[in-house]
Amino acid sequence: MDLLKVDITQRTAKRRRLPPDERRQQIVDGAVAFFAEVGLEGKTRDLAKHLGITQSLLFNYFENKESLIEAVYAQVYIDRLSPEWPRRLVDRSVPLRSRLLAFYNDYSKLIFEYEWMRIFMFSGLAGAELNRRYLEHLNKMILHPLLDEIYAASSKSMMPDMEDLWNLHGGIVYIGIRQHIYRTPCPDDPSLAIEHAVDRFLQAFAVKQD
């Protein structure tokens, strides 16, 4: 029993010696995993217990649960979006098909992850603002510029609209939903499915293949 008390004391001391930045990151990492499992309705006291810290220590780093969820949102979504994507998508020295495939293969590596998909679904079901903000950001930074590029390359009188582009985007995202939400069989390498989806879209609107 004495040895157990010594072990607990040592582990507690180690936790307390973490620098503030490391402790904050440890909480955010734990919160990402926690909310991916239980949803955004999960209690902070349960998160603190899961992390092996007190709830009061958690609130030393985050003013409230909302500020903690903001940190989770930043880490899982916004901070991981490449600042290079908007520039690369409008680089007309590269064929449009190649730009689309490069973007969606990179993007799929980002979002086809358990935590990304689960938190996004839980957030949507809870009516949280996070999803709307993320989709508005994606719309502004990626999809609208991309639609302009498709207009420029299309040789057909009937041009795609934003709904058509969302259908392409949503179909690709659905591969990850099948894997992490529905737990149904999915391709080990989604690149071929992405290639087929992009080609069908470009052919439908007679986009020139350079």
Side-chain angles (χ1 to χ4, degrees), residues 130-176:
L130 303 184
N131 291 53
R132 288 187 289 275
R133 284 165 49 196
Y134 175 78
L135 292 176
E136 286 170 3
H137 182 77
L138 184 73
N139 200 38
K140 178 182 177 181
M141 301 303 297
I142 301 296
L143 297 186
H144 265 293
L146 183 53
L147 189 62
D148 290 340
E149 295 303 299
I150 294 168
Y151 282 167
S154 179
S155 59
K156 195 172 183 179
S157 58
M158 189 184 79
M159 296 291 195
D161 58 22
M162 185 55 69
E163 187 64 23
D164 295 313
L165 190 51
W166 272 114
N167 285 337
L168 169 66
H169 185 84
I172 291 171
V173 172
Y174 189 66
I175 299 171

Side-chain angles (χ1 to χ4, degrees), residues 2-188:
D2 290 340
L3 290 176
L4 178 59
K5 289 181 178 179
V6 169
D7 180 58
I8 292 172
T9 301
Q10 288 175 343
R11 285 188 283 120
T12 301
K14 287 178 181 178
R15 286 201 302 268
R16 289 173 179 164
R17 283 200 295 269
L18 277 179
D21 288 349
E22 289 185 26
R23 174 66 72 196
R24 185 183 189 280
Q25 187 60 52
Q26 179 198 49
I27 293 171
V28 174
D29 290 342
V32 169
F34 177 76
F35 290 129
E37 284 297 326
V38 305
L40 299 184
E41 300 304 313
K43 306 297 184 183
T44 54
R45 64 173 176 269
D46 294 328
L47 170 60
K49 182 178 180 181
H50 175 75
L51 292 172
I53 62 175
T54 63
Q55 191 175 20
S56 61
L57 177 60
L58 189 153
F59 286 125
N60 283 342
Y61 290 88
F62 297 94
E63 181 180 358
N64 48 40
K65 182 181 177 181
E66 288 70 28
S67 65
L68 174 59
I69 290 176
E70 283 290 333
V72 167
Y73 168 75
Q75 176 162 308
V76 176
Y77 300 103
I78 297 301
D79 292 350
R80 296 174 66 194
L81 293 175
S82 171
E84 289 295 303
W85 285 341
R87 181 189 62 78
R88 287 162 50 192
L89 280 170
V90 300
D91 180 5
R92 295 185 183 178
S93 68
V94 178
L96 178 59
R97 179 179 184 272
S98 299
R99 283 179 270 159
L100 276 166
L101 291 177
F103 167 70
Y104 276 113
N105 278 308
D106 284 351
Y107 188 66
S108 67
K109 292 182 178 71
L110 166 69
I111 71 168
F112 290 1
E113 293 185 355
Y114 180 83
E115 291 166 345
W116 195 103
M117 285 290 171
R118 298 269 298 182
I119 291 175
F120 196 77
M121 291 296 109
F122 278 129
S123 177
L125 290 170
E129 184 66 21
L130 303 184
N131 291 53
R132 288 187 289 275
R133 284 165 49 196
Y134 175 78
L135 292 176
E136 286 170 3
H137 182 77
L138 184 73
N139 200 38
K140 178 182 177 181
M141 301 303 297
I142 301 296
L143 297 186
H144 265 293
L146 183 53
L147 189 62
D148 290 340
E149 295 303 299
I150 294 168
Y151 282 167
S154 179
S155 59
K156 195 172 183 179
S157 58
M158 189 184 79
M159 296 291 195
D161 58 22
M162 185 55 69
E163 187 64 23
D164 295 313
L165 190 51
W166 272 114
N167 285 337
L168 169 66
H169 185 84
I172 291 171
V173 172
Y174 189 66
I175 299 171
I177 293 174
R178 285 165 49 206
Q179 180 181 3
H180 294 299
I181 306 301
Y182 298 139
R183 309 293 180 89
T184 57
C186 295
D188 293 330

